[in-house]
Amino acid sequence: MLWFLFMTYLSHQDGEHTGRASRELAEKLSALDFLDSDINILNGRLRRMAHVVVYAVLAVLLGTTLELSGHSPWLTAGAIVWAWADEATKPLVQGRHFSWLDVGRNVLGIVIGMVIVIFVF
């Protein structure tokens, strides 16, 4: 539940704050030799990968909780509704917009998380 609240909070920050936060992270990571040194490219990749990572973690946590409580981890697939709803509410936040590509990235994260849970259990 805490992860869900955390990711939803981050997801609904205004465009200026999310842009600044990801840019600062890109600037710090660009110093690493194995990552792209172009800050703009790295920033874009970080912003896209954030969707996959936060939803994969959500799916692993939810799937594990369901499995350990005796329920089917396949119920985690219900998070796909939130993957869309999270993006659908973005136009209500200043500087944010709806993106089907981001919905797809969210769903990809859920699928990755579900695969991890299925292999673990």
Side-chain angles (χ1 to χ4, degrees), residues 28-45:
K28 291 175 184 171
L29 292 176
S30 68
L32 300 175
D33 290 335
F34 62 92
L35 293 175
D36 198 314
S37 61
D38 184 319
I39 293 171
N40 293 324
I41 291 172
L42 185 55
N43 185 34
R45 289 178 180 161

Side-chain angles (χ1 to χ4, degrees), residues 12 31 34 42-43 58-59 69 74 103-104 106 108 110:
H12 287 82
F34 62 92
L42 185 55
N43 185 34
L58 175 68
S69 65
W74 288 100
V103 172
N106 296 347
L108 176 62
I110 292 168

Side-chain angles (χ1 to χ4, degrees), residues 42-99:
L42 185 55
N43 185 34
R45 289 178 180 161
L46 287 170
R47 292 179 70 84
R48 288 187 297 275
M49 287 305 299
H51 291 269
V52 177
V53 171
V54 298
Y55 274 88
V57 171
L58 175 68
V60 167
L61 294 172
L62 182 57
T64 300
T65 300
L66 289 167
E67 178 68 34
L68 295 176
S69 65
H71 297 87
S72 172
W74 288 100
L75 292 173
T76 303
I80 290 173
V81 173
W82 182 248
W84 170 82
D86 182 44
E87 285 299 316
T89 58
K90 294 284 176 63
L92 302 173
V93 180
Q94 183 178 356
R96 302 301 295 267
H97 63 277
F98 176 86
S99 168

